[in-house]
mmCIF file of all heavy atoms in Angstrom:
data_model
loop_
_atom_site.group_PDB
_atom_site.id
_atom_site.type_symbol
_atom_site.label_atom_id
_atom_site.label_comp_id
_atom_site.label_asym_id
_atom_site.label_seq_id
_atom_site.Cartn_x
_atom_site.Cartn_y
_atom_site.Cartn_z
ATOM 1 N N LYS A 1 10.340 31.736 -4.850
ATOM 2 C CA LYS A 1 9.724 32.810 -4.068
ATOM 3 C C LYS A 1 8.826 33.633 -4.958
ATOM 4 O O LYS A 1 8.975 33.676 -6.179
ATOM 5 C CB LYS A 1 10.791 33.680 -3.424
ATOM 6 C CG LYS A 1 11.735 34.343 -4.429
ATOM 7 C CD LYS A 1 12.783 35.150 -3.717
ATOM 8 C CE LYS A 1 13.772 35.753 -4.721
ATOM 9 N NZ LYS A 1 13.133 36.776 -5.535
ATOM 10 N N ASP A 2 7.891 34.294 -4.321
ATOM 11 C CA ASP A 2 6.997 35.232 -4.985
ATOM 12 C C ASP A 2 7.164 36.569 -4.287
ATOM 13 O O ASP A 2 6.676 36.749 -3.161
ATOM 14 C CB ASP A 2 5.552 34.724 -4.897
ATOM 15 C CG ASP A 2 4.576 35.592 -5.659
ATOM 16 O OD1 ASP A 2 4.822 36.813 -5.780
ATOM 17 O OD2 ASP A 2 3.568 35.055 -6.135
ATOM 18 N N ASN A 3 7.857 37.491 -4.932
ATOM 19 C CA ASN A 3 8.137 38.778 -4.297
ATOM 20 C C ASN A 3 6.863 39.537 -3.971
ATOM 21 O O ASN A 3 6.773 40.206 -2.938
ATOM 22 C CB ASN A 3 9.028 39.615 -5.200
ATOM 23 C CG ASN A 3 10.429 39.061 -5.292
ATOM 24 O OD1 ASN A 3 10.839 38.230 -4.482
ATOM 25 N ND2 ASN A 3 11.171 39.505 -6.288
ATOM 26 N N ALA A 4 5.892 39.453 -4.858
ATOM 27 C CA ALA A 4 4.652 40.202 -4.657
ATOM 28 C C ALA A 4 3.891 39.731 -3.429
ATOM 29 O O ALA A 4 3.180 40.508 -2.789
ATOM 30 C CB ALA A 4 3.766 40.091 -5.894
ATOM 31 N N LYS A 5 4.055 38.466 -3.095
ATOM 32 C CA LYS A 5 3.345 37.897 -1.946
ATOM 33 C C LYS A 5 4.243 37.726 -0.734
ATOM 34 O O LYS A 5 3.782 37.237 0.304
ATOM 35 C CB LYS A 5 2.747 36.545 -2.327
ATOM 36 C CG LYS A 5 1.689 36.610 -3.416
ATOM 37 C CD LYS A 5 1.120 35.234 -3.706
ATOM 38 C CE LYS A 5 0.035 35.306 -4.776
ATOM 39 N NZ LYS A 5 -0.527 33.976 -5.081
ATOM 40 N N ASP A 6 5.533 38.085 -0.863
ATOM 41 C CA ASP A 6 6.475 37.872 0.232
ATOM 42 C C ASP A 6 6.392 36.432 0.735
ATOM 43 O O ASP A 6 6.324 36.180 1.948
ATOM 44 C CB ASP A 6 6.216 38.854 1.387
ATOM 45 C CG ASP A 6 6.739 40.254 1.095
ATOM 46 O OD1 ASP A 6 7.585 40.377 0.186
ATOM 47 O OD2 ASP A 6 6.292 41.201 1.752
ATOM 48 N N THR A 7 6.396 35.515 -0.186
ATOM 49 C CA THR A 7 6.223 34.108 0.148
ATOM 50 C C THR A 7 7.307 33.267 -0.523
ATOM 51 O O THR A 7 7.645 33.500 -1.689
ATOM 52 C CB THR A 7 4.831 33.610 -0.286
ATOM 53 O OG1 THR A 7 3.834 34.359 0.414
ATOM 54 C CG2 THR A 7 4.647 32.130 0.032
ATOM 55 N N VAL A 8 7.829 32.326 0.231
ATOM 56 C CA VAL A 8 8.811 31.370 -0.267
ATOM 57 C C VAL A 8 8.153 29.995 -0.303
ATOM 58 O O VAL A 8 7.385 29.645 0.605
ATOM 59 C CB VAL A 8 10.051 31.340 0.638
ATOM 60 C CG1 VAL A 8 11.028 30.256 0.193
ATOM 61 C CG2 VAL A 8 10.737 32.697 0.624
ATOM 62 N N TYR A 9 8.453 29.250 -1.334
ATOM 63 C CA TYR A 9 7.843 27.927 -1.516
ATOM 64 C C TYR A 9 8.917 26.844 -1.505
ATOM 65 O O TYR A 9 10.052 27.073 -1.908
ATOM 66 C CB TYR A 9 7.086 27.864 -2.836
ATOM 67 C CG TYR A 9 6.011 28.904 -2.974
ATOM 68 C CD1 TYR A 9 6.236 30.079 -3.693
ATOM 69 C CD2 TYR A 9 4.777 28.723 -2.365
ATOM 70 C CE1 TYR A 9 5.252 31.042 -3.811
ATOM 71 C CE2 TYR A 9 3.775 29.693 -2.485
ATOM 72 C CZ TYR A 9 4.028 30.842 -3.202
ATOM 73 O OH TYR A 9 3.045 31.796 -3.311
ATOM 74 N N LEU A 10 8.502 25.670 -1.089
ATOM 75 C CA LEU A 10 9.351 24.491 -1.213
ATOM 76 C C LEU A 10 8.521 23.416 -1.901
ATOM 77 O O LEU A 10 7.605 22.866 -1.290
ATOM 78 C CB LEU A 10 9.843 24.005 0.143
ATOM 79 C CG LEU A 10 10.815 22.823 0.084
ATOM 80 C CD1 LEU A 10 12.141 23.255 -0.541
ATOM 81 C CD2 LEU A 10 11.059 22.234 1.467
ATOM 82 N N GLN A 11 8.822 23.163 -3.155
ATOM 83 C CA GLN A 11 8.168 22.107 -3.904
ATOM 84 C C GLN A 11 8.919 20.805 -3.661
ATOM 85 O O GLN A 11 10.110 20.717 -3.957
ATOM 86 C CB GLN A 11 8.151 22.433 -5.399
ATOM 87 C CG GLN A 11 7.529 21.358 -6.264
ATOM 88 C CD GLN A 11 6.038 21.178 -6.012
ATOM 89 O OE1 GLN A 11 5.304 22.165 -5.891
ATOM 90 N NE2 GLN A 11 5.583 19.941 -5.943
ATOM 91 N N MET A 12 8.218 19.833 -3.139
ATOM 92 C CA MET A 12 8.852 18.562 -2.784
ATOM 93 C C MET A 12 8.259 17.460 -3.657
ATOM 94 O O MET A 12 7.052 17.207 -3.593
ATOM 95 C CB MET A 12 8.633 18.255 -1.304
ATOM 96 C CG MET A 12 9.101 19.374 -0.380
ATOM 97 S SD MET A 12 8.996 18.942 1.368
ATOM 98 C CE MET A 12 7.229 18.770 1.550
ATOM 99 N N ASN A 13 9.094 16.839 -4.434
ATOM 100 C CA ASN A 13 8.679 15.768 -5.342
ATOM 101 C C ASN A 13 9.374 14.463 -4.968
ATOM 102 O O ASN A 13 10.381 14.466 -4.269
ATOM 103 C CB ASN A 13 9.009 16.132 -6.783
ATOM 104 C CG ASN A 13 8.347 17.413 -7.234
ATOM 105 O OD1 ASN A 13 7.187 17.687 -6.898
ATOM 106 N ND2 ASN A 13 9.056 18.210 -8.017
ATOM 107 N N SER A 14 8.822 13.374 -5.461
ATOM 108 C CA SER A 14 9.402 12.045 -5.209
ATOM 109 C C SER A 14 9.698 11.851 -3.725
ATOM 110 O O SER A 14 10.792 11.428 -3.341
ATOM 111 C CB SER A 14 10.680 11.866 -6.036
ATOM 112 O OG SER A 14 10.422 12.031 -7.408
ATOM 113 N N LEU A 15 8.729 12.157 -2.917
ATOM 114 C CA LEU A 15 8.936 12.110 -1.471
ATOM 115 C C LEU A 15 9.191 10.699 -0.980
ATOM 116 O O LEU A 15 8.600 9.719 -1.476
ATOM 117 C CB LEU A 15 7.736 12.716 -0.759
ATOM 118 C CG LEU A 15 7.720 14.246 -0.768
ATOM 119 C CD1 LEU A 15 6.339 14.788 -0.463
ATOM 120 C CD2 LEU A 15 8.732 14.786 0.233
ATOM 121 N N LYS A 16 10.068 10.619 0.011
ATOM 122 C CA LYS A 16 10.450 9.350 0.610
ATOM 123 C C LYS A 16 10.047 9.359 2.079
ATOM 124 O O LYS A 16 9.913 10.426 2.684
ATOM 125 C CB LYS A 16 11.965 9.168 0.508
ATOM 126 C CG LYS A 16 12.524 9.276 -0.894
ATOM 127 C CD LYS A 16 14.044 9.209 -0.876
ATOM 128 C CE LYS A 16 14.625 9.342 -2.275
ATOM 129 N NZ LYS A 16 16.105 9.285 -2.256
ATOM 130 N N PRO A 17 9.891 8.194 2.682
ATOM 131 C CA PRO A 17 9.572 8.163 4.117
ATOM 132 C C PRO A 17 10.570 8.946 4.957
ATOM 133 O O PRO A 17 10.192 9.549 5.968
ATOM 134 C CB PRO A 17 9.610 6.662 4.426
ATOM 135 C CG PRO A 17 9.228 6.010 3.151
ATOM 136 C CD PRO A 17 9.857 6.857 2.079
ATOM 137 N N GLU A 18 11.829 8.960 4.555
ATOM 138 C CA GLU A 18 12.830 9.690 5.335
ATOM 139 C C GLU A 18 12.724 11.207 5.196
ATOM 140 O O GLU A 18 13.439 11.949 5.880
ATOM 141 C CB GLU A 18 14.249 9.229 4.949
ATOM 142 C CG GLU A 18 14.550 9.273 3.475
ATOM 143 C CD GLU A 18 14.354 7.923 2.798
ATOM 144 O OE1 GLU A 18 13.372 7.207 3.134
ATOM 145 O OE2 GLU A 18 15.205 7.591 1.936
ATOM 146 N N ASP A 19 11.847 11.685 4.311
ATOM 147 C CA ASP A 19 11.591 13.120 4.226
ATOM 148 C C ASP A 19 10.577 13.590 5.274
ATOM 149 O O ASP A 19 10.371 14.797 5.446
ATOM 150 C CB ASP A 19 11.049 13.491 2.839
ATOM 151 C CG ASP A 19 12.065 13.275 1.742
ATOM 152 O OD1 ASP A 19 13.248 13.626 1.949
ATOM 153 O OD2 ASP A 19 11.678 12.754 0.670
ATOM 154 N N ALA A 20 9.939 12.652 5.946
ATOM 155 C CA ALA A 20 8.946 13.016 6.950
ATOM 156 C C ALA A 20 9.610 13.774 8.098
ATOM 157 O O ALA A 20 10.625 13.318 8.651
ATOM 158 C CB ALA A 20 8.264 11.762 7.480
ATOM 159 N N ALA A 21 9.042 14.917 8.429
ATOM 160 C CA ALA A 21 9.623 15.776 9.458
ATOM 161 C C ALA A 21 8.734 16.997 9.654
ATOM 162 O O ALA A 21 7.795 17.222 8.879
ATOM 163 C CB ALA A 21 11.023 16.230 9.044
ATOM 164 N N VAL A 22 9.059 17.772 10.656
ATOM 165 C CA VAL A 22 8.508 19.121 10.763
ATOM 166 C C VAL A 22 9.426 20.033 9.962
ATOM 167 O O VAL A 22 10.646 20.036 10.182
ATOM 168 C CB VAL A 22 8.409 19.596 12.220
ATOM 169 C CG1 VAL A 22 7.900 21.029 12.268
ATOM 170 C CG2 VAL A 22 7.499 18.673 13.019
ATOM 171 N N TYR A 23 8.839 20.766 9.048
ATOM 172 C CA TYR A 23 9.610 21.659 8.186
ATOM 173 C C TYR A 23 9.455 23.096 8.690
ATOM 174 O O TYR A 23 8.338 23.579 8.903
ATOM 175 C CB TYR A 23 9.127 21.548 6.744
ATOM 176 C CG TYR A 23 9.654 20.326 6.049
ATOM 177 C CD1 TYR A 23 9.176 19.058 6.393
ATOM 178 C CD2 TYR A 23 10.645 20.412 5.082
ATOM 179 C CE1 TYR A 23 9.672 17.913 5.781
ATOM 180 C CE2 TYR A 23 11.147 19.277 4.456
ATOM 181 C CZ TYR A 23 10.669 18.042 4.818
ATOM 182 O OH TYR A 23 11.169 16.912 4.211
ATOM 183 N N TYR A 24 10.605 23.741 8.860
ATOM 184 C CA TYR A 24 10.643 25.099 9.382
ATOM 185 C C TYR A 24 11.178 26.059 8.332
ATOM 186 O O TYR A 24 12.159 25.756 7.641
ATOM 187 C CB TYR A 24 11.553 25.180 10.601
ATOM 188 C CG TYR A 24 11.105 24.357 11.771
ATOM 189 C CD1 TYR A 24 11.554 23.055 11.943
ATOM 190 C CD2 TYR A 24 10.239 24.891 12.727
ATOM 191 C CE1 TYR A 24 11.149 22.290 13.023
ATOM 192 C CE2 TYR A 24 9.834 24.133 13.819
ATOM 193 C CZ TYR A 24 10.290 22.837 13.959
ATOM 194 O OH TYR A 24 9.891 22.090 15.030
ATOM 195 N N CYS A 25 10.568 27.213 8.261
ATOM 196 C CA CYS A 25 11.078 28.309 7.457
ATOM 197 C C CYS A 25 11.901 29.214 8.358
ATOM 198 O O CYS A 25 11.547 29.422 9.538
ATOM 199 C CB CYS A 25 9.895 29.075 6.862
ATOM 200 S SG CYS A 25 10.335 30.466 5.821
ATOM 201 N N ALA A 26 12.976 29.750 7.830
ATOM 202 C CA ALA A 26 13.841 30.611 8.624
ATOM 203 C C ALA A 26 14.456 31.679 7.731
ATOM 204 O O ALA A 26 14.582 31.489 6.515
ATOM 205 C CB ALA A 26 14.936 29.791 9.301
ATOM 206 N N ALA A 27 14.851 32.785 8.352
ATOM 207 C CA ALA A 27 15.433 33.904 7.619
ATOM 208 C C ALA A 27 16.701 34.373 8.299
ATOM 209 O O ALA A 27 16.789 34.397 9.529
ATOM 210 C CB ALA A 27 14.430 35.050 7.537
ATOM 211 N N THR A 28 17.664 34.776 7.482
ATOM 212 C CA THR A 28 18.917 35.298 8.004
ATOM 213 C C THR A 28 19.450 36.381 7.088
ATOM 214 O O THR A 28 19.171 36.386 5.885
ATOM 215 C CB THR A 28 19.963 34.178 8.154
ATOM 216 O OG1 THR A 28 21.167 34.738 8.671
ATOM 217 C CG2 THR A 28 20.276 33.542 6.804
ATOM 218 N N THR A 29 20.227 37.293 7.669
ATOM 219 C CA THR A 29 20.901 38.312 6.867
ATOM 220 C C THR A 29 22.333 37.908 6.539
ATOM 221 O O THR A 29 23.056 38.662 5.899
ATOM 222 C CB THR A 29 20.889 39.660 7.595
ATOM 223 O OG1 THR A 29 21.453 39.480 8.906
ATOM 224 C CG2 THR A 29 19.469 40.200 7.733
ATOM 225 N N VAL A 30 22.753 36.747 6.986
ATOM 226 C CA VAL A 30 24.087 36.255 6.668
ATOM 227 C C VAL A 30 24.196 36.048 5.163
ATOM 228 O O VAL A 30 23.276 35.537 4.525
ATOM 229 C CB VAL A 30 24.383 34.944 7.415
ATOM 230 C CG1 VAL A 30 25.699 34.326 6.931
ATOM 231 C CG2 VAL A 30 24.435 35.196 8.912
ATOM 232 N N VAL A 31 25.337 36.427 4.614
ATOM 233 C CA VAL A 31 25.596 36.257 3.181
ATOM 234 C C VAL A 31 26.444 35.003 2.996
ATOM 235 O O VAL A 31 27.495 34.854 3.623
ATOM 236 C CB VAL A 31 26.319 37.488 2.610
ATOM 237 C CG1 VAL A 31 26.641 37.264 1.117
ATOM 238 C CG2 VAL A 31 25.455 38.725 2.780
ATOM 239 N N TYR A 32 25.969 34.123 2.140
ATOM 240 C CA TYR A 32 26.637 32.843 1.960
ATOM 241 C C TYR A 32 27.334 32.749 0.607
ATOM 242 O O TYR A 32 26.925 33.362 -0.371
ATOM 243 C CB TYR A 32 25.625 31.704 2.079
ATOM 244 C CG TYR A 32 25.027 31.584 3.465
ATOM 245 C CD1 TYR A 32 23.743 32.037 3.733
ATOM 246 C CD2 TYR A 32 25.770 31.038 4.509
ATOM 247 C CE1 TYR A 32 23.202 31.929 5.005
ATOM 248 C CE2 TYR A 32 25.238 30.931 5.780
ATOM 249 C CZ TYR A 32 23.952 31.384 6.020
ATOM 250 O OH TYR A 32 23.427 31.283 7.284
ATOM 251 N N GLY A 33 28.356 31.895 0.597
ATOM 252 C CA GLY A 33 29.027 31.547 -0.647
ATOM 253 C C GLY A 33 28.334 30.386 -1.301
ATOM 254 O O GLY A 33 27.125 30.213 -1.198
ATOM 255 N N SER A 34 29.094 29.540 -1.937
ATOM 256 C CA SER A 34 28.516 28.484 -2.759
ATOM 257 C C SER A 34 28.182 27.212 -2.001
ATOM 258 O O SER A 34 27.434 26.367 -2.509
ATOM 259 C CB SER A 34 29.462 28.146 -3.911
ATOM 260 O OG SER A 34 30.698 27.695 -3.390
ATOM 261 N N LEU A 35 28.677 27.038 -0.797
ATOM 262 C CA LEU A 35 28.532 25.761 -0.098
ATOM 263 C C LEU A 35 27.293 25.749 0.785
ATOM 264 O O LEU A 35 27.181 26.523 1.732
ATOM 265 C CB LEU A 35 29.771 25.476 0.738
ATOM 266 C CG LEU A 35 31.077 25.337 -0.028
ATOM 267 C CD1 LEU A 35 32.231 25.097 0.933
ATOM 268 C CD2 LEU A 35 30.998 24.219 -1.062
ATOM 269 N N TRP A 36 26.388 24.809 0.528
ATOM 270 C CA TRP A 36 25.175 24.729 1.340
ATOM 271 C C TRP A 36 25.506 24.318 2.770
ATOM 272 O O TRP A 36 24.772 24.620 3.698
ATOM 273 C CB TRP A 36 24.174 23.758 0.722
ATOM 274 C CG TRP A 36 24.590 22.315 0.709
ATOM 275 C CD1 TRP A 36 25.193 21.647 -0.310
ATOM 276 C CD2 TRP A 36 24.427 21.358 1.759
ATOM 277 N NE1 TRP A 36 25.415 20.342 0.043
ATOM 278 C CE2 TRP A 36 24.952 20.126 1.302
ATOM 279 C CE3 TRP A 36 23.892 21.419 3.046
ATOM 280 C CZ2 TRP A 36 24.944 18.976 2.079
ATOM 281 C CZ3 TRP A 36 23.881 20.264 3.828
ATOM 282 C CH2 TRP A 36 24.407 19.065 3.341
ATOM 283 N N GLU A 37 26.627 23.617 2.922
ATOM 284 C CA GLU A 37 27.012 23.157 4.256
ATOM 285 C C GLU A 37 27.270 24.307 5.235
ATOM 286 O O GLU A 37 27.286 24.092 6.446
ATOM 287 C CB GLU A 37 28.264 22.267 4.176
ATOM 288 C CG GLU A 37 28.058 20.941 3.461
ATOM 289 C CD GLU A 37 28.320 21.028 1.970
ATOM 290 O OE1 GLU A 37 28.289 22.147 1.413
ATOM 291 O OE2 GLU A 37 28.558 19.975 1.355
ATOM 292 N N ASN A 38 27.495 25.508 4.701
ATOM 293 C CA ASN A 38 27.763 26.663 5.565
ATOM 294 C C ASN A 38 26.496 27.310 6.116
ATOM 295 O O ASN A 38 26.588 28.193 6.965
ATOM 296 C CB ASN A 38 28.569 27.706 4.811
ATOM 297 C CG ASN A 38 29.986 27.231 4.525
ATOM 298 O OD1 ASN A 38 30.524 26.380 5.247
ATOM 299 N ND2 ASN A 38 30.594 27.765 3.489
ATOM 300 N N ILE A 39 25.351 26.891 5.618
ATOM 301 C CA ILE A 39 24.082 27.475 6.064
ATOM 302 C C ILE A 39 23.641 26.717 7.312
ATOM 303 O O ILE A 39 23.208 25.573 7.241
ATOM 304 C CB ILE A 39 23.026 27.414 4.959
ATOM 305 C CG1 ILE A 39 23.529 28.159 3.715
ATOM 306 C CG2 ILE A 39 21.704 28.023 5.448
ATOM 307 C CD1 ILE A 39 22.615 28.062 2.518
ATOM 308 N N ARG A 40 23.728 27.372 8.445
ATOM 309 C CA ARG A 40 23.527 26.716 9.738
ATOM 310 C C ARG A 40 22.352 27.341 10.477
ATOM 311 O O ARG A 40 22.112 28.544 10.383
ATOM 312 C CB ARG A 40 24.784 26.820 10.584
ATOM 313 C CG ARG A 40 25.996 26.180 9.933
ATOM 314 C CD ARG A 40 27.238 26.384 10.784
ATOM 315 N NE ARG A 40 28.427 25.801 10.178
ATOM 316 C CZ ARG A 40 28.803 24.548 10.347
ATOM 317 N NH1 ARG A 40 28.083 23.737 11.093
ATOM 318 N NH2 ARG A 40 29.901 24.102 9.766
ATOM 319 N N GLU A 41 21.697 26.545 11.280
ATOM 320 C CA GLU A 41 20.522 27.052 11.987
ATOM 321 C C GLU A 41 20.880 28.158 12.965
ATOM 322 O O GLU A 41 20.061 29.036 13.216
ATOM 323 C CB GLU A 41 19.786 25.911 12.685
ATOM 324 C CG GLU A 41 20.562 25.172 13.735
ATOM 325 C CD GLU A 41 19.679 24.150 14.435
ATOM 326 O OE1 GLU A 41 18.624 24.543 14.957
ATOM 327 O OE2 GLU A 41 20.041 22.963 14.469
ATOM 328 N N GLU A 42 22.086 28.135 13.504
ATOM 329 C CA GLU A 42 22.460 29.177 14.462
ATOM 330 C C GLU A 42 22.618 30.544 13.796
ATOM 331 O O GLU A 42 22.708 31.557 14.482
ATOM 332 C CB GLU A 42 23.739 28.802 15.217
ATOM 333 C CG GLU A 42 24.920 28.456 14.356
ATOM 334 C CD GLU A 42 25.064 26.944 14.171
ATOM 335 O OE1 GLU A 42 24.039 26.240 14.102
ATOM 336 O OE2 GLU A 42 26.228 26.486 14.094
ATOM 337 N N HIS A 43 22.662 30.574 12.472
ATOM 338 C CA HIS A 43 22.741 31.845 11.744
ATOM 339 C C HIS A 43 21.378 32.505 11.571
ATOM 340 O O HIS A 43 21.303 33.680 11.221
ATOM 341 C CB HIS A 43 23.331 31.625 10.357
ATOM 342 C CG HIS A 43 24.728 31.114 10.348
ATOM 343 N ND1 HIS A 43 25.308 30.539 9.240
ATOM 344 C CD2 HIS A 43 25.680 31.087 11.312
ATOM 345 C CE1 HIS A 43 26.540 30.178 9.534
ATOM 346 N NE2 HIS A 43 26.789 30.493 10.795
ATOM 347 N N MET A 44 20.302 31.753 11.772
ATOM 348 C CA MET A 44 18.976 32.253 11.459
ATOM 349 C C MET A 44 18.502 33.268 12.490
ATOM 350 O O MET A 44 18.656 33.050 13.696
ATOM 351 C CB MET A 44 17.979 31.095 11.373
ATOM 352 C CG MET A 44 18.346 30.045 10.330
ATOM 353 S SD MET A 44 18.395 30.706 8.671
ATOM 354 C CE MET A 44 20.009 30.086 8.129
ATOM 355 N N ASN A 45 17.944 34.368 11.993
ATOM 356 C CA ASN A 45 17.443 35.419 12.858
ATOM 357 C C ASN A 45 15.986 35.216 13.239
ATOM 358 O O ASN A 45 15.552 35.640 14.310
ATOM 359 C CB ASN A 45 17.586 36.781 12.166
ATOM 360 C CG ASN A 45 18.999 37.081 11.749
ATOM 361 O OD1 ASN A 45 19.305 37.206 10.566
ATOM 362 N ND2 ASN A 45 19.889 37.188 12.713
#
């Protein structure tokens, strides 16, 4: 992220055909622990 620009980036390397998709940015105020599996789309504001 770049705080000065209020911008978040996703650098994608070694791309595979299965990475093809529509990519969405989302924001939430939910506080998460260490497990990425807990980050769910229904939490996004």
Side-chain angles (χ1 to χ4, degrees):
K1 60 182 177 68
D2 184 330
N3 290 344
K5 296 182 179 180
D6 283 342
T7 299
V8 175
Y9 302 99
L10 184 68
Q11 178 66 44
M12 305 186 295
N13 301 321
S14 302
L15 282 162
K16 305 175 181 180
E18 53 263 40
D19 294 317
V22 177
Y23 281 71
Y24 297 92
C25 180
T28 180
T29 54
V30 172
V31 177
Y32 295 103
S34 61
L35 298 178
W36 67 265
E37 293 90 340
N38 291 334
I39 302 175
R40 300 177 181 273
E41 62 175 305
E42 54 263 35
H43 297 163
M44 302 298 130
N45 304 116

